[in-house]
Amino acid sequence: LAHAARGQDPSPWYDKALTDCEAMLSKWPDESGARQHRANVRCEIADWEIATGRDGAKSLAAAEADYTEVLRLDPESVESYNLRGTLRLRRMHAAGWSSPGYRDEFAAAVADFDAAIRLDPGFADPYNHRGIAWRYLGDCERAQGADPRPSYQRALADHAASIERNPGNSRAWSYRGIAGSVLGDFRKESGEDGWECYERAIADFGESLRLNP
């Protein structure tokens, strides 16, 4: 993605990375590390495709198949559960809450993060990512006229758990700030006082900026 960040076409780098993975897998088809790396590259390709106005669904599907195969080979791969869950978050975000499969995607993502947490309760990232999934569900519920507060509260709790395990992760503070601010918005829309949520969100954003100016 460094090439993309500089405004350059990253396709040649992606092609080379995929070719290297294919070469290794042709010799050692059960090499889970190479398969996971290929999945990671395919996720980056999907991000690039989506950012440039193309459909990243095919790349995401190929990456998902790789993560699933890694988990078949190594059912206790915490990182693969976490990464497959984040892939599903990408798909939720790209599809939008009106997508027919939105809630199924949410359930699958949460199941992956639950598995990662069960295998390694001290790993901060799956808590943070599960919090994002709960916020996405809350946004969906809010748009459909349902009460999103339980989902937003679960998002806040997961981000807090992530911060507890890795307080130096600026993104976790930022995501908790986002969850708090949308909860404040809903409370305000409902005639309740949302200022406490906003104040906490501002504090979280401030800490995120302090950690990563």
Side-chain angles (χ1 to χ4, degrees), residues 24-54:
M24 182 169 286
L25 288 170
S26 67
K27 294 181 180 178
W28 301 286
D30 291 340
E31 171 51 50
S32 60
R35 195 171 295 278
Q36 180 162 296
H37 182 63
R38 186 173 69 177
N40 295 345
V41 172
R42 283 171 165 168
C43 283
E44 290 195 12
I45 291 172
D47 289 343
W48 171 249
E49 290 168 339
I50 293 168
T52 52
R54 289 172 287 173

Side-chain angles (χ1 to χ4, degrees), residues 64-146:
E64 182 178 25
D66 272 341
Y67 288 134
T68 300
E69 179 62 13
V70 172
L71 288 166
R72 186 189 70 80
L73 295 167
D74 180 8
E76 296 190 358
S77 175
V78 175
E79 189 65 21
S80 290
Y81 277 117
N82 181 54
L83 290 169
R84 190 174 66 177
T86 60
L87 179 153
R88 287 165 169 164
L89 288 183
R90 283 180 171 90
R91 217 154 38 199
M92 289 174 71
H93 183 71
W97 60 263
S98 60
S99 169
Y102 193 87
R103 287 177 181 267
D104 291 339
E105 203 73 72
F106 161 79
V110 167
D112 278 343
F113 299 135
D114 286 347
I117 290 167
R118 183 177 65 253
L119 289 166
D120 186 358
F123 185 24
D125 288 357
Y127 293 95
N128 195 40
H129 296 148
R130 191 172 66 181
I132 296 171
W134 280 111
R135 174 168 57 85
Y136 283 177
L137 180 64
D139 291 344
C140 174
E141 292 166 336
R142 182 179 171 191
Q144 294 175 344

Side-chain angles (χ1 to χ4, degrees), residues 186-203:
F186 179 77
R187 286 182 171 174
K188 186 178 178 182
E189 291 168 2
S190 303
E192 303 172 13
D193 184 2
W195 285 111
E196 182 180 353
C197 296
Y198 292 142
E199 288 172 353
R200 291 179 179 175
I202 290 169

